[in-house]
Amino acid sequence: MGKLLKLRHLYVDRCTLLRYLPKGIGSLKSLQALDWPFKFESDDEALKLGDVGMMDQLQGSLEIAWLGKEDDESEMEKAQLGNKEHLSELKVWFHVARGEQRKGDDEIVKAMQPHENLESLSIGYCHGTTESLYWISTLHNLRKLDLYYWRFFEYLPPLGKLRSLEILEISGMDKVKKVGVEFLGREQEEETLFPKLKRLRFSDMSSWKEWEGITKDSSEMITIMPRLSSLEFVGCPNLKALPDMLYKITALRTLGIYLSPTLQYEYRKGVGKQWHNIAHIPNLYIDK
């Protein structure tokens, strides 16, 4: 396989009994499409994540699965994702494990730093912290972001400066109790935050109690989520209320609240204390 130097497309996704790809594939510098999900392999003959370091022509989607082994940090560094300017989508998930925080996940995420051209990013089951995603603000073309089951996140990363972001899904952040202004990523007195965001979804946020918006003094100088059309909460049982900044979004057409009893009570149609703040939204889906 390593001699097919002009090979551009390799599809093996439906080869369900194939244990691994041969290591020689790592020398295919012209390869543009590879639908193989990279997983930890102990066999010396297997293609590893680090072997894609020379594949700077890769396009489309790249999947990396079951991270969390001792040598995954070095493999991630060798992969040089930052050089792969043609990749549009990156999907990464770590070993599904509960209990104590797994050491090493932070360093793996730091070494992951993809090229700024990336359009879609999904990372799940990571035991890392918010600081490991310091590079997220460099992804100026990112349109979709999905962060799920980062069980040791204590606060959300600053995402408001992602100028191309249209879809944001956050779920399973067990330790997040408060979403504050750091989530907006405000840097200037006058600016627009989340300028293109259209869909925002929170789910399985069991400890989340408070969402703090901007102060009234800043509300006239800051524009937040001007294009948001869909907002959804699923499994946020302790969240008390939504920030005032959300009520001012004229583009908001759909609000869904499910399995979130406190919100459901406060926003009950006609009788909830907060009902008047959402009554103008055309499409309301609130569990009774």
Side-chain angles (χ1 to χ4, degrees):
M1 290 295 296
K3 296 181 180 180
L4 302 178
L5 299 181
K6 294 185 178 181
L7 189 67
R8 296 186 180 183
H9 300 85
L10 176 59
Y11 301 107
V12 291
D13 181 53
R14 295 188 180 276
C15 300
T16 55
L17 297 181
L18 188 63
R19 286 182 51 223
Y20 57 77
L21 296 183
K23 195 173 186 68
I25 290 176
S27 62
L28 304 181
K29 296 182 180 181
S30 300
L31 204 62
Q32 297 176 1
L34 177 61
D35 61 354
W36 181 260
F38 284 88
K39 296 171 283 188
F40 175 81
E41 296 288 353
S42 58
D43 197 306
D44 292 337
E45 298 301 317
L47 180 72
K48 294 182 173 61
L49 177 60
D51 295 324
V52 305
M54 295 190 297
M55 298 182 186
D56 290 344
Q57 300 303 312
L58 282 177
Q59 303 177 10
S61 179
L62 180 66
E63 294 186 35
I64 305 171
W66 314 129
L67 289 175
K69 298 292 184 178
E70 294 180 358
D71 64 346
D72 283 344
E73 177 191 345
S74 60
E75 287 295 310
M76 186 64 75
E77 290 177 347
K78 293 176 185 176
Q80 300 184 49
L81 297 183
N83 294 337
K84 292 164 179 48
E85 59 182 308
H86 305 294
L87 275 183
S88 60
E89 181 177 30
L90 178 61
K91 298 179 180 179
V92 181
W93 60 93
F94 289 69
H95 282 278
V96 180
R98 294 178 178 269
E100 294 184 2
Q101 187 169 8
R102 183 172 50 225
K103 296 180 179 179
D105 283 16
D106 266 327
E107 300 306 315
I108 294 173
V109 174
K110 290 177 182 178
M112 187 184 302
Q113 187 169 2
H115 194 275
E116 63 179 14
N117 287 346
L118 197 71
E119 295 182 4
S120 177
L121 174 63
S122 177
I123 308 177
Y125 300 102
C126 180
H127 282 199
T129 58
T130 309
E131 289 76 11
S132 63
L133 279 172
Y134 70 92
W135 43 260
I136 195 79
S137 60
T138 66
L139 303 181
H140 303 305
N141 293 318
L142 195 67
R143 296 176 57 248
K144 181 179 180 181
L145 176 61
D146 184 6
L147 300 176
Y148 57 100
Y149 295 96
W150 288 56
R151 299 196 179 277
F152 293 88
F153 253 23
E154 294 185 358
Y155 55 92
L156 299 183
L159 302 176
K161 299 295 290 183
L162 293 175
R163 62 194 185 198
S164 300
L165 191 64
E166 297 180 6
I167 301 172
L168 175 58
E169 298 185 6
I170 296 176
S171 59
M173 309 299 188
D174 288 349
K175 289 198 172 185
V176 172
K177 296 180 180 180
K178 177 181 178 180
V179 174
V181 293
E182 74 283 342
F183 175 56
L184 301 175
R186 181 184 177 187
E187 296 177 352
Q188 303 173 15
E189 288 298 320
E190 296 185 41
E191 59 183 334
T192 300
L193 304 172
F194 292 103
K196 292 188 177 181
L197 190 65
K198 297 179 181 178
R199 192 166 79 218
L200 176 59
R201 185 178 192 268
F202 293 98
S203 61
D204 295 336
M205 304 282 283
S206 59
S207 300
W208 187 18
K209 296 181 179 180
E210 183 181 356
W211 187 354
E212 181 184 64
I214 58 175
T215 63
K216 292 183 179 180
D217 295 337
S218 302
S219 61
E220 295 181 0
M221 305 172 67
I222 301 295
T223 302
I224 300 174
M225 306 179 190
R227 299 188 182 183
L228 187 68
S229 60
S230 176
L231 177 62
E232 191 173 26
F233 301 88
V234 182
C236 303
N238 294 303
L239 184 59
K240 300 175 183 178
L242 307 183
D244 290 343
M245 63 185 186
L246 295 179
Y247 306 143
K248 300 177 182 180
I249 302 174
T250 58
L252 190 59
R253 312 300 294 171
T254 300
L255 173 63
I257 301 176
Y258 311 95
L259 303 175
S260 307
T262 303
L263 287 181
Q264 290 160 205
Y265 182 80
E266 292 293 324
Y267 292 92
R268 286 178 301 165
K269 184 176 181 180
V271 294
K273 292 181 180 179
Q274 301 291 339
W275 166 252
H276 66 281
N277 286 318
I278 65 168
H280 65 283
I281 301 175
N283 305 303
L284 292 172
Y285 303 95
I286 302 177
D287 279 353
K288 297 182 180 178

